[in-house]
Amino acid sequence: MKKIFCLIILCAYYERNVLAAEAGMPQLDPAYWPSQAFWLIVIFSLIYILISKIFIPKIKSNLDLREDKIRKDLEEAKMLKEESEKKLKKYNSLIQAGKIEVKKIIADGREKLNNDIQQKRREIEEKIEKETKSAEKEIINFKKNSINKISSISEEVASNLVKDIFGESPNASSVKATISQIVKDSKI
Amino acid sequence: MAANPMHQFTVYKIGPKIEIMGIDLSFTNASLFMLISAVLILLLLTFGTNEKKLIPSKVQLLSETLYNFIAKMISDTAGKKAKPYFPFIFSLFVFILFCNMLGMLPYSFTVTSHIIVTLTFALFIFIGVTIVGFTIHGFKYLKIFVPSGVPIVLLPIISIIEIISYLSRPVSLSVRLFANMMAGHTMLKVFGGFVISLGLIGGWLPLTFSVALTGLEILVAFLQAYVFAILTCIYLNDALNLHH
């Protein structure tokens, strides 16, 4: 208890002394003015020298580097853009030419096809005509033949009939004449 | 002790006492946080420039964004002639930004909340810009105090005002950053103290404020670094191009 009491008194005494010394603004106490000015000059000179000799050139070079790079990149981009535009134009013209060519090819092909078809049709028509003619001819021939055949068959049938009915074969020439007469009459 | 909102700005010695020609140049917590900021910046830039990828990694993107952001800021305000000063503005912006942001971490120390730090920067810029102006334009640089198109009667008054405004540049430049950082951090501390003192019942309101203020302070941390850098660009522009 006594110790604590002593401590409090000591503290109070110390505090009073400090407060007395600190009356007013410490800034106006010139005791440490030279020291502060001196250290300020020393430390600030140090910073100034380091900043002006090392750091500012470094930052500046880096900024310049970046600016250069950006400018170069922009230029390159511009160049590439122009080039790509050129290429696009070329491509478009190529496509245009291709389209024209394709149209031409289509038109040509169509014409050729038409011609081909026409020709084929003509050929076929000619062939059909020929065949028809030959068929007609054949039919006519056949008709003629058939008439002759019919007369001979009828002669035979007639002579046979006569033979069967009368027991003797008739005269061939008279049968023929009779049949031809009948054919003429019936106008076959 | 912790209730004092100004306590966070105390500078104390770390390590042995360094004394050169009777001046105390000891390594302090302020120096420590400057060093941490510097190391963080160098780490970020090292990893950001380590590999030169066409499609940047996240860290690389961060460093390149930073580069483009500052390059655009300079070309917008000071034109092409300011290109040799690009590394300086870059270092300035990055250093102040990292110091401010590092200060947003609890229990850390805000380097830029000390008037001597911002004044060193502002005086360096002021003297540097004046030297640049005189080397480029010679004595014609004094024309900056004589705006064209002003009636002769008003000229002496205007010139005096211009001279005063020119000479107050380092003060306004340094006090703007210092006051913003100090005020913000003090306010955060005060609201943080209220959270404790008002307890479980009433502490919620200052806690809400504290959270909102933290967001605001992060914005201020970025904004003040930006304002510092852009004002430097504007002063440089005046020296390089002599608009008056």
Side-chain angles (χ1 to χ4, degrees), chain B residues 63-92:
Chain B
S63 61
E64 281 167 7
T65 311
L66 213 56
Y67 180 97
N68 284 331
F69 175 70
I70 295 160
K72 192 172 180 298
M73 181 170 82
I74 292 175
S75 67
D76 281 353
T77 51
K80 273 184 184 172
K81 281 186 194 168
K83 227 168 185 187
Y85 308 102
F86 175 66
F88 176 72
I89 309 260
F90 185 94
S91 318
L92 187 72

Side-chain angles (χ1 to χ4, degrees), chain A residues 11 14-16 18-70 73, chain B residues 1 4 6-7 9-13 18 20 23-28 30-31 34-35 38 41-42 45-46 49 51-56 60 63-64 67-68 83-84 86-88 90-92 95 109 111 113-117 120-121 178 182:
Chain A
C11 277
Y14 177 71
E15 194 164 320
R16 206 193 57 187
V18 167
L19 276 177
E22 279 181 359
M25 288 160 67
Q27 284 95 336
L28 299 181
D29 173 20
Y32 284 110
W33 279 8
S35 150
Q36 270 170 292
F38 169 74
W39 285 104
L40 176 70
I41 291 165
V42 168
I43 291 168
F44 186 73
S45 312
L46 189 81
I47 298 180
Y48 172 71
I49 290 165
L50 284 175
I51 282 179
S52 66
K53 294 288 174 226
I54 301 173
F55 294 116
I56 282 188
K58 257 187 175 176
I59 296 176
K60 190 167 163 36
S61 79
N62 195 21
L63 286 175
D64 287 350
L65 213 76
R66 182 172 311 145
E67 209 172 293
D68 264 19
K69 169 90 177 139
I70 287 171
D73 280 5
Chain B
M1 181 169 79
N4 186 351
M6 302 311 277
H7 173 71
F9 302 118
T10 319
V11 178
Y12 50 86
K13 202 163 57 188
I18 304 167
I20 298 169
I23 306 166
D24 187 6
L25 298 178
S26 310
F27 194 81
T28 60
S31 326
M34 286 176 203
L35 200 64
I41 292 164
L42 295 180
L45 290 175
T46 309
T49 54
E51 35 194 349
K52 295 186 171 182
K53 279 187 192 163
L54 189 64
I55 296 159
Q60 193 186 344
S63 61
E64 281 167 7
Y67 180 97
N68 284 331
K83 227 168 185 187
F86 175 66
F88 176 72
F90 185 94
S91 318
L92 187 72
F95 185 70
F109 179 86
V111 178
S113 67
H114 275 250
I115 182 76
I116 183 65
V117 173
T120 309
F121 270 134
F178 145 72
M182 188 192 69

Side-chain angles (χ1 to χ4, degrees), chain B residues 4-185:
Chain B
N4 186 351
M6 302 311 277
H7 173 71
Q8 55 175 322
F9 302 118
T10 319
V11 178
Y12 50 86
K13 202 163 57 188
I14 295 174
K17 187 171 182 173
I18 304 167
E19 209 174 292
I20 298 169
M21 290 167 42
I23 306 166
D24 187 6
L25 298 178
S26 310
F27 194 81
T28 60
N29 55 345
S31 326
L32 177 69
F33 275 90
M34 286 176 203
L35 200 64
I36 293 174
S37 301
V39 168
L40 285 178
I41 292 164
L42 295 180
L43 274 179
L44 169 73
L45 290 175
T46 309
F47 284 113
T49 54
N50 220 358
E51 35 194 349
K52 295 186 171 182
K53 279 187 192 163
L54 189 64
I55 296 159
S57 60
K58 280 173 190 167
V59 189
Q60 193 186 344
L61 187 68
L62 200 64
S63 61
E64 281 167 7
T65 311
L66 213 56
Y67 180 97
N68 284 331
F69 175 70
I70 295 160
K72 192 172 180 298
M73 181 170 82
I74 292 175
S75 67
D76 281 353
T77 51
K80 273 184 184 172
K81 281 186 194 168
K83 227 168 185 187
Y85 308 102
F86 175 66
F88 176 72
I89 309 260
F90 185 94
S91 318
L92 187 72
F93 174 74
V94 175
F95 185 70
I96 293 177
L97 180 68
F98 269 69
C99 286
N100 289 355
M101 287 297 182
L102 211 61
M104 284 314 296
L105 293 175
Y107 297 104
S108 68
F109 179 86
T110 319
V111 178
T112 44
S113 67
H114 275 250
I115 182 76
I116 183 65
V117 173
T118 57
L119 191 68
T120 309
F121 270 134
L123 276 177
F124 179 78
I125 289 160
F126 175 73
I127 295 167
V129 162
T130 310
I131 289 170
V132 165
F134 274 113
T135 45
I136 289 179
H137 302 288
F139 276 104
K140 280 185 185 172
Y141 185 57
L142 292 174
K143 270 189 188 167
I144 199 171
F145 303 124
V146 189
S148 58
V150 174
I152 303 271
V153 189
L154 285 177
L155 207 56
I157 307 168
I158 297 282
S159 293
I160 288 168
I161 293 172
E162 285 282 335
I163 290 170
I164 291 171
S165 88
Y166 189 83
L167 290 178
S168 66
R169 274 176 179 183
V171 179
S172 68
L173 193 61
S174 59
V175 168
R176 184 179 298 111
L177 178 58
F178 145 72
N180 263 292
M181 297 322 291
M182 188 192 69
H185 284 267

